[in-house]
Amino acid sequence: MQQHNVGLSHAAVSAGSARIGKAPRDPRIDVFRGLALIMIFINHVPGNPYEYLTIRNLGFADAAEAFFLMSGIAAGLAYTPRFIERDRVRHGLWRAIAPLWKRAWSLYLVQIALSAIALAIFAGAFQITAQADFLTKINMRQVFQNPTQALIGIPLLTHQFGYVNILPAYSVLLICAPAAIILGLRWPRILLTLSLTLWLFTGVFRLNLPNYPNPGGWFFNPFAWQAIFVCGLLVGLSQRQGHRFFPASKVLFSLSIAVLLGILAWKYVPGLGKYLNLQMHNLREAGVPFNLTSHDKTYLSAPRFIHILALGYFLSQLPSVTRLAGHRAASPFRLIGQHGLLIFASGTVLALVCQTLMLAQPNAVWMVWVLPALGTAALFAIAFIADVSRRILSAPAEQIDPAMSGTGFEKTRTIAVSP
């Protein structure tokens, strides 16, 4: 079997400039991130038939795991060059750290904005319908019944609404990413070992960041979900240095196929899933950590973790995937993947609007078919508009004729030059 780099474009390997320069963009990253964002939107509108087309039907992991994996790869590709020793010595460490922390701050601001919008959507739905249930949906009960404490928790990220709870974990991971990148550049295997150890201990000791005012911890537990992010980060780090982290081999490829087929059988063969789940329960009762013997999402259980890694490795080894990702037909998905934060925020708002409409009109069966489709089309349109706007704003402008600049009140015109 022909070997291919995991998450690594051939151009990046052959160019040799991946160490510090701008590497060619791997279309697979944008396509898979775009697909993950669309699936997140679809899954955030519960009860629609399009959910059967999402990744969750292939096994235990869903689009969230794919999103964190692709985000880790993208972070490794985007931020690594400034951490490489030659660039770091020349410009200083802060120049490398600042973009990551700035991005984390942007995610925090978007999280606060989305929380406020979510409150407005459900409060507005209550005002229109007078259905009190809207005030208790997606973990909003505390805001309306205990506003003093809840409004403390929201900016502290200790009170998160359902479907608006991915960005806090991602922000924490970006804050910690500089240390991970520095360690990964010198000792990548040590970084992986430490990451997996933290993931395991998180399940053993139930480590998590606290909630307030509700009990418990974050739904997307950063101590656990960092393991997926770090695996992706190591792929991106390696790509930027012109080599692969996870080796391409027939053995690993065959193993990934076996895992994926086994998970499908676990999920769909009658009686098999019940039997295997019972065995996991017995192991858990015998003292095996519960994140190894459950399907828990908060602590990133082993079945979910292994599933997304096997799926990612399998897809990365198929030459046809690279060709399809670069095809013109895949350009809408690439476009969405290139505007990840905007599309995620827009998709979250659209999903919550769809939820309230479907809850307000439970007998309108047509909504479950029409609203998710319209929302998906809107995401494509938003990505297209954002891309056109970016191109226009980044295009150099023709220099204004000095003769036109007399008093400063004359009507002047600039002409955008196509890139």
Side-chain angles (χ1 to χ4, degrees):
M1 184 189 72
Q2 186 177 1
Q3 291 188 345
H4 293 270
N5 295 313
V6 179
L8 180 58
S9 62
H10 301 293
V13 177
S14 60
S17 62
R19 292 186 178 275
I20 52 175
K22 184 177 180 180
R25 197 175 188 110
D26 190 331
R28 292 174 295 179
I29 296 173
D30 291 328
V31 166
F32 288 135
R33 185 161 54 178
L35 286 170
L37 288 166
I38 292 173
M39 291 179 187
I40 288 174
F41 165 70
I42 294 296
N43 290 333
H44 283 187
V45 187
N48 75 82
Y50 305 105
E51 288 185 286
Y52 293 103
L53 302 176
T54 61
I55 188 177
R56 64 167 61 173
N57 297 286
L58 297 177
F60 305 126
D62 58 27
E65 282 88 350
F67 175 79
F68 273 84
L69 181 63
M70 301 312 300
S71 296
I73 295 174
L77 289 170
Y79 299 110
T80 294
R82 294 185 180 190
F83 282 92
I84 292 176
E85 185 174 2
R86 186 170 66 180
D87 195 81
R88 192 174 69 246
V89 170
R90 181 183 304 172
H91 300 288
L93 185 59
W94 177 245
R95 182 175 180 269
I97 295 174
L100 280 159
W101 286 4
K102 181 180 179 181
R103 185 63 169 176
W105 175 246
S106 298
L107 295 180
Y108 172 80
L109 295 178
V110 172
Q111 170 67 18
I112 299 303
L114 288 177
S115 298
I117 293 171
L119 278 171
I121 290 171
F122 280 82
F126 168 72
Q127 287 290 97
I128 295 171
T129 66
Q131 297 180 22
D133 287 348
F134 281 115
L135 303 182
T136 61
K137 295 292 184 181
I138 64 169
N139 200 29
M140 288 189 175
R141 183 189 300 273
Q142 288 283 4
V143 176
F144 296 108
Q145 296 183 358
N146 184 21
T148 302
Q149 293 180 337
L151 292 178
I152 293 173
I154 290 174
L156 292 178
L157 302 181
T158 59
H159 189 71
Q160 302 168 19
F161 303 133
Y163 307 104
V164 193
N165 50 13
I166 292 180
L167 293 183
Y170 190 22
S171 299
V172 171
L173 295 179
L174 286 182
I175 291 172
C176 300
I181 292 174
I182 292 172
L183 181 60
L185 284 172
R186 297 197 64 180
W187 302 291
R189 290 183 176 85
I190 292 179
L191 174 61
L192 180 62
T193 301
L194 291 175
S195 175
L196 295 179
T197 301
L198 176 58
W199 168 78
L200 181 61
F201 283 1
T202 297
V204 173
F205 298 106
R206 303 297 177 97
L207 304 176
N208 201 346
L209 294 179
N211 281 338
Y212 176 85
N214 286 338
W218 289 19
F219 182 74
F220 285 95
N221 182 350
F223 295 118
W225 283 74
Q226 55 77 28
I228 291 183
F229 182 82
V230 167
C231 286
L233 186 70
L234 286 168
V235 172
L237 289 175
S238 298
Q239 176 169 344
R240 277 308 231 169
Q241 297 175 89
H243 60 86
R244 64 176 68 94
F245 181 77
F246 295 103
S249 70
K250 293 182 179 180
V251 173
L252 288 178
F253 184 74
S254 300
L255 181 60
S256 68
I257 293 176
V259 168
L260 294 174
L261 292 177
I263 289 175
L264 282 173
W266 188 330
K267 190 163 185 176
Y268 291 108
V269 172
L272 181 60
K274 184 177 180 180
Y275 171 78
L276 293 176
N277 289 336
L278 177 61
Q279 302 312 308
M280 288 210 307
H281 172 76
N282 293 335
L283 289 173
R284 188 161 59 252
E285 291 295 314
V288 178
F290 95 106
N291 59 339
L292 298 178
T293 56
S294 71
H295 298 286
D296 187 86
K297 187 170 184 175
T298 293
Y299 286 85
L300 185 62
S301 64
R304 304 180 71 97
F305 192 12
I306 293 171
H307 178 214
I308 195 61
L309 291 181
L311 182 60
Y313 186 87
F314 170 75
L315 292 174
S316 73
Q317 297 301 294
L318 298 177
S320 57
V321 171
T322 304
R323 291 194 297 268
L324 289 173
H327 195 273
R328 182 178 180 181
S331 59
F333 301 101
R334 291 198 301 271
L335 200 60
I336 284 182
Q338 291 166 10
H339 298 276
L341 182 57
L342 173 64
I343 296 303
F344 175 81
S346 302
T348 298
V349 173
L350 290 172
L352 296 178
V353 170
C354 291
Q355 283 189 38
T356 56
L357 290 173
M358 290 165 59
L359 289 170
Q361 300 290 332
N363 296 323
V365 180
W366 62 270
M367 285 189 177
V368 302
W369 291 93
V370 174
L371 292 182
L374 289 177
T376 302
L379 294 181
F380 282 114
I382 291 169
F384 176 78
I385 293 170
D387 195 65
V388 171
S389 176
R390 182 176 62 181
R391 289 176 183 273
I392 293 175
L393 294 176
S394 63
E398 185 180 54
Q399 186 175 5
I400 301 174
D401 189 340
M404 297 289 291
S405 58
T407 65
F409 291 97
E410 291 86 351
K411 186 177 181 180
T412 59
R413 180 179 63 165
T414 59
I415 304 174
V417 180
S418 301

